[in-house]
Amino acid sequence: MNSLVRRYGTRLLCAAAHITVLAAAPALAQSAPAADSAQADAPGTIVVTASRLGRRDVPTPQLALDATVLSQGGRLNAVAALQDFPQFRPSSTPATNGGQTAGGGYGIDLRALGIPRTLSLLNGHRFSSGSGDLPMGYTDVGVIPSILIERVDIVTSSAAATWGSGAVAGVVNFVTTDKLEGARVGLQSGISSRGDGFEGKAEAAYGTTFGGGRGRIIIGGEYSKSEGIDARSDRKNVGRWAALANAGQTPTLTPNVGLNNISRGGLITNGFYAGQSFNPDHTLSPYNGGTLVGVSRVGGIAPSSDDVVNLIAPLTRIGVMGRLFYDLGSDVRLTADVLYSHATANSSIFPQSTTSTISIDNAFLPQAIKDGMLAAGQTSFSLGRFNDDYAALQDKVRRDTFQGTVSLDGRLGSKLQWNAYYTHGSLSIKSHINNSLIASNFAQAVDSVKGANGQPVCRVTLTTPSSNCVPINLFGEGAPSQAARDYVLGTAIANARNSLDAGGVSLRGDVLDLWAGPLSIAVGAEARRESLHLTNGPLDRAKAFVLVNAPAYGGEIKTAEGFGEFMLPILKDVPGFSKLQLNGAARYSNNDQSKGVWSWKIGVLDRVVEGVEVRATRSRDIRAPGVNELFATVVGPQRGIFFDPLKNTSYQMSTFTGGNRNLKVELSDTTTFGVTLTPSFAPGLTITADYYNINIKNAISAPSTQTVLTNCGNGIASSCALITRADDGTATSVLVTNQNFLSYKASGVDFSLRYPLPISILSGVTAIRLDGSWLRKLETNDGKSVVNLIGTTGAAAVNGAPKLSGNAALTYDSSTFSAYLRVKYVSPSWYNRAITITNNRYAAYATVDLGLNYQVTPGMKIFANVNNLFDRDPPIASGRSVYYDFIGRYYQSGVRLSF
């Protein structure tokens, strides 16, 4: 940190001073009685996330969700609860990450603009495990014990001038309690109506004062376990679907799709025995793989990776957090936060299917088959084998998250508050991908003959007796011996450590009383160092594995920033302008990749009349490339089924990804308009609507596999160059690297309603809550083609989002009983609107959740929830689409105690 201060300190202080002068200049000679101000809260209290002024009355759109709302649905953590709301795209969960390396993590994605464009905070500070720039599946913000979360503040608009790089789509700030007195305990568990998907959680928290009331300590922790769901094909409409067509036909979403030229026991694909598969007893029988459509099989027993890959990755987590507050004096408070989380996940990824050449003298080949080959004049054949009996990749991941923050808050006089903080965070990931095929060992083991004693040996031992090769029998499911497995399989090892060191100082308060209220300002400087280092195992370094060779790379980024913000009152008590205020913010950022970049915001807030408030903002926001985006080496593959326009069908292929050290800063321009209505004729009714328009330039992205294939089909040569094809034109792999090649445009309206109904049932309060999001535009432009992402919600929905989505709840609350009925809605959509498919259209989709709570005693509450009450199936070919419930009806129950 000292080097950062020495390097950038002078420039930051100059920038901060310049911003402060700009903020104060319009009203230096004016004075008036004070109105709303930044002085309402004690030092150390987090007031709002939308501003650094410590004021609630700012024009930036924001949403706050308290613990009661977050508890609906019984989610295991607050991130999972957030993803029930329409502003979020749940693009990183144990479900969406199941079947990938490092599965089981949680990320936050506002506006479907990507996890790296949403800034995650813990009590107003960045934290390392919230980085959206970590390798695939590593992002994990579900580490905070839910029992300590008081609320989650969500800034639903760009906020880089306020919080720095990354807040292009918005900010999510997890605010933990600072007032707990006594103890809380919670237990819950759940299971699906199919008898799988078990999950449970135990949590506890305790808080007390000490030092004669000058200090408070709070500690909380939780243990949670999710057993996951084994295979994608375990759920209707999820696994074994693909868009298929024969030459000259329009593709159709088709069920029961399997792989061609492969069977579980081994399929002979050429020669005298072509079309026959090995049985467990090593004999042959005709293979019913189904009808060949394109390059896939339909309707038979052909295997699919969806039969093996986890639908939801199993996840176990232990987390603990402690908070310490101590008043060092009447005007200075010390705050210390410590968080630790340990999580393990065990994901089934996919089998490593192989195609091998089997010679007639293979030691394990039955004599009857050899005789048939000899009679046919055949010396070898090709064998396609699924290999799920011994070579299905299993990724065992361990994540350890640590975050420690120390801050001091105090006053300067009666109107100014200062803050100084330092935070250190680290996220350590250890990933062991078991059952990885070692290429050279497998090739030698397959090529077996009978040795001098008549026992099977590897052919290589005839010329190299010192070889430790163990021959492998591939003829029939379960045939490979344990010794052969040990020889041909190894463990790919990837260890990653992400670190964050950040510190800053700030000053805020009212500096001048003007004609319409006080002029409030905030000014400060911050610096941080972010690093990521990946190491790998010896076999990975030797590129020994057939598919997954973990990379090794590292790098760090040092950033220093100065910021300022002001709130200037313009008019007060004037018809149409009961309270008109101007809000502005600016931030100067300098780091190793982006030299001297400004972000800024200007906004107005007007209380037109009592009960009607309007607001508008315009901002320039930035996102600097992250460590992983810059320094990642090419890694892969991730395997999936994609539509190839040149072959006019879908089939399985591999994707490889990597970084780019020449990336530039993303630039974003955002405009918002909003209104809040609180009519006096309906006490408690609050209606809000906020329009947003986000335009991101130089967006960093690796084009999706489907995008590369589609662009190649449209004749774009640069995309075709990223595709490796076999001699028959079939795509085997696609290379996608990070580039500043995209622009994003997103616009729409967020709306909400809160209303306690003016009726009383059994002395209880009935209320309505509605949160919705309507998309006007969501598109990407790579300079050659514009892709409309609105309404693409199927398995191919890499970045798509529904036109209209919402979350509505009817709640009842009395002194002893409470209940909620919640509906989640997704408007009519497409599987993939970018391509023509005969059955592409999805109908509107809604699920209903029911929750009941009963206060047994003042210190004991029991509850029960049913999610997806009517067991609504997802639409066809939805895969693990983030917008549909593919688990089915789910039961939960639990108890909460307080002492």
PDB file of all heavy atoms in Angstrom, residues 56-59 579 581 605-615 674-678 687 689:
ATOM      1  N   ARG A  56     -29.827   9.847   2.461  1.00  0.00           N
ATOM      2  CA  ARG A  56     -30.771   8.954   1.800  1.00  0.00           C
ATOM      3  C   ARG A  56     -31.398   9.584   0.572  1.00  0.00           C
ATOM      4  O   ARG A  56     -31.849   8.885  -0.332  1.00  0.00           O
ATOM      5  CB  ARG A  56     -31.865   8.544   2.784  1.00  0.00           C
ATOM      6  CG  ARG A  56     -31.346   7.763   3.992  1.00  0.00           C
ATOM      7  CD  ARG A  56     -32.469   7.519   5.003  1.00  0.00           C
ATOM      8  NE  ARG A  56     -32.015   6.695   6.114  1.00  0.00           N
ATOM      9  CZ  ARG A  56     -31.425   7.165   7.198  1.00  0.00           C
ATOM     10  NH1 ARG A  56     -31.201   8.478   7.302  1.00  0.00           N
ATOM     11  NH2 ARG A  56     -31.043   6.365   8.163  1.00  0.00           N
ATOM     12  N   ASP A  57     -31.468  10.892   0.547  1.00  0.00           N
ATOM     13  CA  ASP A  57     -32.190  11.599  -0.521  1.00  0.00           C
ATOM     14  C   ASP A  57     -31.253  11.876  -1.698  1.00  0.00           C
ATOM     15  O   ASP A  57     -30.787  12.993  -1.898  1.00  0.00           O
ATOM     16  CB  ASP A  57     -32.810  12.896   0.008  1.00  0.00           C
ATOM     17  CG  ASP A  57     -31.785  13.807   0.670  1.00  0.00           C
ATOM     18  OD1 ASP A  57     -30.738  13.294   1.122  1.00  0.00           O
ATOM     19  OD2 ASP A  57     -32.016  15.031   0.736  1.00  0.00           O
ATOM     20  N   VAL A  58     -31.003  10.843  -2.504  1.00  0.00           N
ATOM     21  CA  VAL A  58     -30.161  10.973  -3.692  1.00  0.00           C
ATOM     22  C   VAL A  58     -30.942  10.452  -4.894  1.00  0.00           C
ATOM     23  O   VAL A  58     -31.871   9.645  -4.744  1.00  0.00           O
ATOM     24  CB  VAL A  58     -28.831  10.207  -3.531  1.00  0.00           C
ATOM     25  CG1 VAL A  58     -27.955  10.850  -2.472  1.00  0.00           C
ATOM     26  CG2 VAL A  58     -29.084   8.746  -3.199  1.00  0.00           C
ATOM     27  N   PRO A  59     -30.603  10.897  -6.101  1.00  0.00           N
ATOM     28  CA  PRO A  59     -31.403  10.520  -7.282  1.00  0.00           C
ATOM     29  C   PRO A  59     -31.079   9.156  -7.875  1.00  0.00           C
ATOM     30  O   PRO A  59     -31.751   8.725  -8.815  1.00  0.00           O
ATOM     31  CB  PRO A  59     -31.078  11.633  -8.279  1.00  0.00           C
ATOM     32  CG  PRO A  59     -29.704  12.083  -7.920  1.00  0.00           C
ATOM     33  CD  PRO A  59     -29.618  11.966  -6.420  1.00  0.00           C
ATOM     34  N   LYS A 579     -38.779  20.560  -3.266  1.00  0.00           N
ATOM     35  CA  LYS A 579     -37.390  20.370  -2.850  1.00  0.00           C
ATOM     36  C   LYS A 579     -36.594  19.883  -4.043  1.00  0.00           C
ATOM     37  O   LYS A 579     -36.654  18.705  -4.403  1.00  0.00           O
ATOM     38  CB  LYS A 579     -37.319  19.365  -1.702  1.00  0.00           C
ATOM     39  CG  LYS A 579     -35.915  19.175  -1.129  1.00  0.00           C
ATOM     40  CD  LYS A 579     -35.941  18.172   0.002  1.00  0.00           C
ATOM     41  CE  LYS A 579     -34.556  17.961   0.572  1.00  0.00           C
ATOM     42  NZ  LYS A 579     -34.549  16.928   1.646  1.00  0.00           N
ATOM     43  N   GLN A 581     -32.897  19.332  -5.786  1.00  0.00           N
ATOM     44  CA  GLN A 581     -31.490  19.208  -5.424  1.00  0.00           C
ATOM     45  C   GLN A 581     -30.690  18.685  -6.614  1.00  0.00           C
ATOM     46  O   GLN A 581     -31.204  17.926  -7.447  1.00  0.00           O
ATOM     47  CB  GLN A 581     -31.331  18.240  -4.250  1.00  0.00           C
ATOM     48  CG  GLN A 581     -32.071  18.656  -2.997  1.00  0.00           C
ATOM     49  CD  GLN A 581     -31.882  17.650  -1.885  1.00  0.00           C
ATOM     50  OE1 GLN A 581     -30.971  17.762  -1.072  1.00  0.00           O
ATOM     51  NE2 GLN A 581     -32.756  16.661  -1.839  1.00  0.00           N
ATOM     52  N   LEU A 605     -32.921  15.635  -8.182  1.00  0.00           N
ATOM     53  CA  LEU A 605     -33.975  15.035  -7.388  1.00  0.00           C
ATOM     54  C   LEU A 605     -34.958  16.134  -7.014  1.00  0.00           C
ATOM     55  O   LEU A 605     -34.553  17.184  -6.488  1.00  0.00           O
ATOM     56  CB  LEU A 605     -33.383  14.396  -6.127  1.00  0.00           C
ATOM     57  CG  LEU A 605     -34.348  13.719  -5.159  1.00  0.00           C
ATOM     58  CD1 LEU A 605     -34.942  12.467  -5.793  1.00  0.00           C
ATOM     59  CD2 LEU A 605     -33.620  13.363  -3.861  1.00  0.00           C
ATOM     60  N   ASP A 606     -36.238  15.910  -7.294  1.00  0.00           N
ATOM     61  CA  ASP A 606     -37.235  16.950  -7.044  1.00  0.00           C
ATOM     62  C   ASP A 606     -38.467  16.344  -6.394  1.00  0.00           C
ATOM     63  O   ASP A 606     -39.043  15.378  -6.913  1.00  0.00           O
ATOM     64  CB  ASP A 606     -37.636  17.649  -8.352  1.00  0.00           C
ATOM     65  CG  ASP A 606     -38.675  18.735  -8.118  1.00  0.00           C
ATOM     66  OD1 ASP A 606     -38.669  19.330  -7.011  1.00  0.00           O
ATOM     67  OD2 ASP A 606     -39.483  18.996  -9.033  1.00  0.00           O
ATOM     68  N   ARG A 607     -38.844  16.903  -5.260  1.00  0.00           N
ATOM     69  CA  ARG A 607     -40.124  16.575  -4.655  1.00  0.00           C
ATOM     70  C   ARG A 607     -41.131  17.554  -5.232  1.00  0.00           C
ATOM     71  O   ARG A 607     -41.218  18.716  -4.805  1.00  0.00           O
ATOM     72  CB  ARG A 607     -40.053  16.679  -3.140  1.00  0.00           C
ATOM     73  CG  ARG A 607     -41.332  16.210  -2.426  1.00  0.00           C
ATOM     74  CD  ARG A 607     -41.222  16.420  -0.927  1.00  0.00           C
ATOM     75  NE  ARG A 607     -40.068  15.726  -0.365  1.00  0.00           N
ATOM     76  CZ  ARG A 607     -39.470  16.108   0.762  1.00  0.00           C
ATOM     77  NH1 ARG A 607     -39.877  17.176   1.415  1.00  0.00           N
ATOM     78  NH2 ARG A 607     -38.432  15.423   1.210  1.00  0.00           N
ATOM     79  N   VAL A 608     -41.870  17.094  -6.239  1.00  0.00           N
ATOM     80  CA  VAL A 608     -42.772  17.985  -6.974  1.00  0.00           C
ATOM     81  C   VAL A 608     -43.848  18.523  -6.042  1.00  0.00           C
ATOM     82  O   VAL A 608     -44.077  19.741  -5.935  1.00  0.00           O
ATOM     83  CB  VAL A 608     -43.405  17.237  -8.160  1.00  0.00           C
ATOM     84  CG1 VAL A 608     -44.317  18.157  -8.955  1.00  0.00           C
ATOM     85  CG2 VAL A 608     -42.321  16.672  -9.064  1.00  0.00           C
ATOM     86  N   VAL A 609     -44.549  17.620  -5.396  1.00  0.00           N
ATOM     87  CA  VAL A 609     -45.502  17.932  -4.334  1.00  0.00           C
ATOM     88  C   VAL A 609     -45.371  16.822  -3.306  1.00  0.00           C
ATOM     89  O   VAL A 609     -44.676  15.828  -3.528  1.00  0.00           O
ATOM     90  CB  VAL A 609     -46.963  18.004  -4.863  1.00  0.00           C
ATOM     91  CG1 VAL A 609     -47.137  19.155  -5.839  1.00  0.00           C
ATOM     92  CG2 VAL A 609     -47.369  16.684  -5.510  1.00  0.00           C
ATOM     93  N   GLU A 610     -46.027  16.984  -2.193  1.00  0.00           N
ATOM     94  CA  GLU A 610     -45.973  15.934  -1.188  1.00  0.00           C
ATOM     95  C   GLU A 610     -46.533  14.641  -1.771  1.00  0.00           C
ATOM     96  O   GLU A 610     -47.662  14.601  -2.276  1.00  0.00           O
ATOM     97  CB  GLU A 610     -46.782  16.347   0.037  1.00  0.00           C
ATOM     98  CG  GLU A 610     -46.518  15.492   1.259  1.00  0.00           C
ATOM     99  CD  GLU A 610     -45.083  15.634   1.760  1.00  0.00           C
ATOM    100  OE1 GLU A 610     -44.508  16.734   1.631  1.00  0.00           O
ATOM    101  OE2 GLU A 610     -44.532  14.631   2.271  1.00  0.00           O
ATOM    102  N   GLY A 611     -45.719  13.581  -1.765  1.00  0.00           N
ATOM    103  CA  GLY A 611     -46.148  12.300  -2.292  1.00  0.00           C
ATOM    104  C   GLY A 611     -45.714  12.012  -3.708  1.00  0.00           C
ATOM    105  O   GLY A 611     -45.965  10.928  -4.214  1.00  0.00           O
ATOM    106  N   VAL A 612     -45.055  12.968  -4.364  1.00  0.00           N
ATOM    107  CA  VAL A 612     -44.571  12.763  -5.728  1.00  0.00           C
ATOM    108  C   VAL A 612     -43.121  13.229  -5.804  1.00  0.00           C
ATOM    109  O   VAL A 612     -42.828  14.414  -5.594  1.00  0.00           O
ATOM    110  CB  VAL A 612     -45.407  13.518  -6.773  1.00  0.00           C
ATOM    111  CG1 VAL A 612     -44.842  13.271  -8.169  1.00  0.00           C
ATOM    112  CG2 VAL A 612     -46.866  13.094  -6.714  1.00  0.00           C
ATOM    113  N   GLU A 613     -42.219  12.313  -6.103  1.00  0.00           N
ATOM    114  CA  GLU A 613     -40.799  12.628  -6.214  1.00  0.00           C
ATOM    115  C   GLU A 613     -40.281  12.110  -7.548  1.00  0.00           C
ATOM    116  O   GLU A 613     -40.567  10.974  -7.932  1.00  0.00           O
ATOM    117  CB  GLU A 613     -40.029  11.978  -5.060  1.00  0.00           C
ATOM    118  CG  GLU A 613     -38.566  12.350  -5.003  1.00  0.00           C
ATOM    119  CD  GLU A 613     -37.889  11.743  -3.776  1.00  0.00           C
ATOM    120  OE1 GLU A 613     -37.426  10.586  -3.891  1.00  0.00           O
ATOM    121  OE2 GLU A 613     -37.853  12.401  -2.730  1.00  0.00           O
ATOM    122  N   VAL A 614     -39.548  12.938  -8.270  1.00  0.00           N
ATOM    123  CA  VAL A 614     -38.960  12.538  -9.544  1.00  0.00           C
ATOM    124  C   VAL A 614     -37.453  12.670  -9.458  1.00  0.00           C
ATOM    125  O   VAL A 614     -36.922  13.454  -8.672  1.00  0.00           O
ATOM    126  CB  VAL A 614     -39.514  13.374 -10.716  1.00  0.00           C
ATOM    127  CG1 VAL A 614     -41.002  13.141 -10.892  1.00  0.00           C
ATOM    128  CG2 VAL A 614     -39.219  14.861 -10.516  1.00  0.00           C
ATOM    129  N   ARG A 615     -36.756  11.924 -10.296  1.00  0.00           N
ATOM    130  CA  ARG A 615     -35.296  11.913 -10.258  1.00  0.00           C
ATOM    131  C   ARG A 615     -34.759  11.579 -11.644  1.00  0.00           C
ATOM    132  O   ARG A 615     -35.435  10.944 -12.461  1.00  0.00           O
ATOM    133  CB  ARG A 615     -34.789  10.894  -9.236  1.00  0.00           C
ATOM    134  CG  ARG A 615     -35.359   9.503  -9.460  1.00  0.00           C
ATOM    135  CD  ARG A 615     -35.038   8.551  -8.308  1.00  0.00           C
ATOM    136  NE  ARG A 615     -35.826   7.312  -8.416  1.00  0.00           N
ATOM    137  CZ  ARG A 615     -37.018   7.155  -7.866  1.00  0.00           C
ATOM    138  NH1 ARG A 615     -37.564   8.133  -7.167  1.00  0.00           N
ATOM    139  NH2 ARG A 615     -37.679   6.024  -8.017  1.00  0.00           N
ATOM    140  N   GLY A 674     -36.692   8.446 -12.954  1.00  0.00           N
ATOM    141  CA  GLY A 674     -37.522   7.694 -12.027  1.00  0.00           C
ATOM    142  C   GLY A 674     -38.544   8.543 -11.319  1.00  0.00           C
ATOM    143  O   GLY A 674     -38.457   9.776 -11.275  1.00  0.00           O
ATOM    144  N   VAL A 675     -39.534   7.853 -10.736  1.00  0.00           N
ATOM    145  CA  VAL A 675     -40.577   8.520  -9.974  1.00  0.00           C
ATOM    146  C   VAL A 675     -40.966   7.631  -8.798  1.00  0.00           C
ATOM    147  O   VAL A 675     -40.961   6.404  -8.903  1.00  0.00           O
ATOM    148  CB  VAL A 675     -41.816   8.811 -10.861  1.00  0.00           C
ATOM    149  CG1 VAL A 675     -42.399   7.525 -11.423  1.00  0.00           C
ATOM    150  CG2 VAL A 675     -42.868   9.587 -10.083  1.00  0.00           C
ATOM    151  N   THR A 676     -41.249   8.269  -7.667  1.00  0.00           N
ATOM    152  CA  THR A 676     -41.766   7.584  -6.493  1.00  0.00           C
ATOM    153  C   THR A 676     -43.067   8.256  -6.077  1.00  0.00           C
ATOM    154  O   THR A 676     -43.120   9.480  -5.920  1.00  0.00           O
ATOM    155  CB  THR A 676     -40.769   7.631  -5.328  1.00  0.00           C
ATOM    156  OG1 THR A 676     -39.573   6.952  -5.690  1.00  0.00           O
ATOM    157  CG2 THR A 676     -41.348   6.971  -4.087  1.00  0.00           C
ATOM    158  N   LEU A 677     -44.102   7.449  -5.905  1.00  0.00           N
ATOM    159  CA  LEU A 677     -45.415   7.951  -5.507  1.00  0.00           C
ATOM    160  C   LEU A 677     -45.778   7.393  -4.137  1.00  0.00           C
ATOM    161  O   LEU A 677     -45.740   6.174  -3.925  1.00  0.00           O
ATOM    162  CB  LEU A 677     -46.479   7.534  -6.519  1.00  0.00           C
ATOM    163  CG  LEU A 677     -46.235   7.931  -7.980  1.00  0.00           C
ATOM    164  CD1 LEU A 677     -47.338   7.382  -8.873  1.00  0.00           C
ATOM    165  CD2 LEU A 677     -46.137   9.447  -8.126  1.00  0.00           C
ATOM    166  N   THR A 678     -46.112   8.280  -3.210  1.00  0.00           N
ATOM    167  CA  THR A 678     -46.582   7.887  -1.881  1.00  0.00           C
ATOM    168  C   THR A 678     -47.847   8.689  -1.587  1.00  0.00           C
ATOM    169  O   THR A 678     -47.835   9.623  -0.775  1.00  0.00           O
ATOM    170  CB  THR A 678     -45.509   8.148  -0.816  1.00  0.00           C
ATOM    171  OG1 THR A 678     -45.081   9.529  -0.905  1.00  0.00           O
ATOM    172  CG2 THR A 678     -44.308   7.249  -1.017  1.00  0.00           C
ATOM    173  N   ILE A 687     -45.155   3.412  -4.692  1.00  0.00           N
ATOM    174  CA  ILE A 687     -44.988   2.925  -6.053  1.00  0.00           C
ATOM    175  C   ILE A 687     -43.759   3.605  -6.647  1.00  0.00           C
ATOM    176  O   ILE A 687     -43.622   4.825  -6.585  1.00  0.00           O
ATOM    177  CB  ILE A 687     -46.228   3.243  -6.919  1.00  0.00           C
ATOM    178  CG1 ILE A 687     -47.478   2.603  -6.326  1.00  0.00           C
ATOM    179  CG2 ILE A 687     -46.016   2.753  -8.350  1.00  0.00           C
ATOM    180  CD1 ILE A 687     -48.753   3.008  -7.031  1.00  0.00           C
ATOM    181  N   ALA A 689     -41.002   3.630 -10.136  1.00  0.00           N
ATOM    182  CA  ALA A 689     -40.675   3.202 -11.498  1.00  0.00           C
ATOM    183  C   ALA A 689     -39.400   3.911 -11.909  1.00  0.00           C
ATOM    184  O   ALA A 689     -39.273   5.123 -11.717  1.00  0.00           O
ATOM    185  CB  ALA A 689     -41.806   3.525 -12.462  1.00  0.00           C
TER     186      ALA A 689
END
